[in-house]
Amino acid sequence: MIGPNVGIYTAGHSIEPKDRNKSGYAIPIKIGNNVWIGGSCTILPGVTIGDNSIIAAGSVVIKDVPSNVIVAGNPAEKLKDI
């Protein structure tokens, strides 16, 4: 389930100033089964979210989330196992 106003961003680009506008590329995001992403979350490129996990509303996910956990915050951190 994905709540309203969730941003799932896969775009990447060079960090060098002269190359930033030349080209971009996609960095995959993997979202497992039975995941619940609360409203207004941001999921950044390259992240994997494991099965059955919950991303609390307003969280910013910058690193992988294991299966069967609840994460929250900016940056999102594990709150508890489920």
Side-chain angles (χ1 to χ4, degrees):
M1 296 184 294
I2 299 177
N5 302 312
V6 170
I8 300 175
Y9 302 106
T10 62
H13 55 79
S14 174
I15 61 171
E16 297 299 323
K18 65 180 180 160
D19 295 329
R20 286 184 193 158
N21 292 328
K22 290 186 179 175
S23 66
Y25 49 88
I27 303 169
I29 293 172
K30 297 177 185 171
I31 299 174
N33 295 313
N34 301 313
V35 170
W36 184 2
I37 301 174
S40 300
C41 287
T42 300
I43 313 297
L44 295 185
V47 166
T48 297
I49 300 174
D51 294 341
N52 307 312
S53 288
I54 298 171
I55 313 301
S59 296
V60 178
V61 181
I62 65 169
K63 61 185 178 180
D64 291 351
V65 175
S67 296
N68 303 302
V69 298
I70 300 172
V71 299
N74 180 4
E77 296 291 335
K78 179 180 163 184
L79 293 180
K80 65 189 254 181
D81 293 315
I82 50 175

